[in-house]
Amino acid sequence: MHSENTRILKELENKRQVFRDRAHAGEILAGMLAEYQKSDAIVLAIPAGGVPVASVIATQLDLYLDIFPVSKILYPWTTESGFGAVAYDGTKWINETAVRHYNLDKDAVHKATAVALDKVERRFRSLRGTRPFPLLSEHKVILVDDGIAAGSTVRTAILTMRKQQCSEIIIATPTAHDTSLVEIAQLVDKVYCANLRSGWSFAVADAYRSWTDVSEDEVMRILNKNNK
């Protein structure tokens, strides 16, 4: 059951490899977001994977593009899965159920959080330089990531935007797990998801025929191209 504020493409529901790549996903989302063309909305991308998607959206809709660095707080034994996330300003969200399940002590949580915070603070400085950050209270914000699995990074970004009194938060993602998206939809004004999927097994990469890591050099190149 989808929330009233959620828009999906029924023809892509529960399908895999529906996008050629992240740029193709951005084209489809831009079509879904056509009402925001040349509006006062701004597009904020979660780096790194969200940037190629957001770049196409911003270009096609003639909107300003910027980044919103958020990173998973990783389990000590993996470089992929996390038990929370932290934003560039220190705002964090911890999945306490996961912490208890894996018996993570306070020291382990603190260390993992510090590593993630160092990463997003460095990204904020290196990718944005000294440019002033947009005043979110004056804009509708379209927050873009390349997919939502557990949703910890997007949830943390939303917490940060609420602290900054963002006037309206719109989530745009090419693909998402239905359980996570229902929870996210309750926290924002609108959600746009092209490829909604259900089931016990979910990987963001499964929505794409071409899936590669996005380097920080590529992120910088995209940002410079969009906002020159």
Side-chain angles (χ1 to χ4, degrees):
M1 187 69 179
H2 312 310
S3 303
E4 290 185 1
N5 66 340
T6 302
R7 304 289 181 268
I8 67 168
L9 294 182
K10 292 293 293 183
E11 62 269 27
L12 299 185
E13 193 169 6
N14 282 320
K15 294 184 178 180
R16 297 187 178 197
Q17 295 191 330
V18 295
F19 309 116
R20 290 191 304 272
D21 50 22
R22 290 181 177 89
H24 180 218
E27 292 173 9
I28 293 175
L29 279 174
M32 297 175 69
L33 292 158
E35 65 188 280
Y36 297 101
Q37 187 166 16
K38 295 184 178 180
S39 69
D40 66 344
I42 60 173
V43 179
L44 296 183
I46 295 180
V51 176
V53 182
S55 171
V56 175
I57 294 172
T59 299
Q60 292 198 2
L61 301 185
D62 197 15
L63 300 176
Y64 174 79
L65 174 68
D66 211 322
I67 58 168
F68 203 90
V70 185
S71 179
K72 291 178 186 175
I73 302 173
L74 298 172
Y75 291 112
W77 55 84
T78 179
T79 59
E80 294 294 333
S81 300
F83 57 89
V86 63
Y88 65 91
D89 68 338
T91 299
K92 62 183 177 181
W93 179 81
I94 303 291
N95 185 336
E96 297 294 347
T97 301
V99 169
R100 291 192 297 270
H101 178 77
Y102 289 106
N103 295 315
L104 298 174
D105 58 30
K106 289 183 178 180
D107 186 52
V109 171
H110 177 75
K111 286 182 178 178
T113 303
V115 169
L117 182 58
D118 284 347
K119 175 183 175 180
V120 293
E121 287 180 338
R122 179 187 56 77
R123 274 186 166 176
F124 191 82
R125 292 191 302 269
S126 65
L127 296 177
R128 299 195 72 265
T130 58
R131 286 187 294 116
F133 196 72
L135 193 60
L136 300 190
S137 60
E138 296 182 353
H139 297 278
K140 296 177 181 177
V141 172
I142 301 172
L143 178 68
V144 180
D145 205 355
D146 56 7
I148 298 175
S152 59
T153 52
V154 170
R155 186 185 293 264
T156 305
I158 293 166
L159 285 174
T160 308
M161 290 179 178
R162 291 298 184 202
K163 284 170 59 176
Q164 297 182 23
Q165 299 181 320
C166 183
S167 65
E168 184 174 330
I169 302 176
I170 301 115
I171 301 298
T173 183
T175 187
H177 191 278
D178 61 352
T179 301
S180 297
L181 202 71
V182 167
E183 294 176 354
I184 294 297
Q186 296 173 7
L187 305 175
V188 298
D189 299 285
K190 293 181 182 178
V191 175
Y192 293 81
C193 175
N195 169 235
L196 188 66
R197 287 183 280 145
S198 58
W200 63 270
S201 177
F202 179 90
V204 168
D206 286 344
Y208 298 85
R209 297 194 289 277
S210 175
W211 176 261
T212 57
D213 289 338
V214 179
S215 69
E216 293 194 5
D217 285 344
E218 184 176 355
V219 169
M220 182 69 78
R221 179 184 61 78
I222 291 171
L223 292 174
N224 290 338
K225 179 182 178 182
N226 272 77
N227 295 325
K228 64 183 178 181

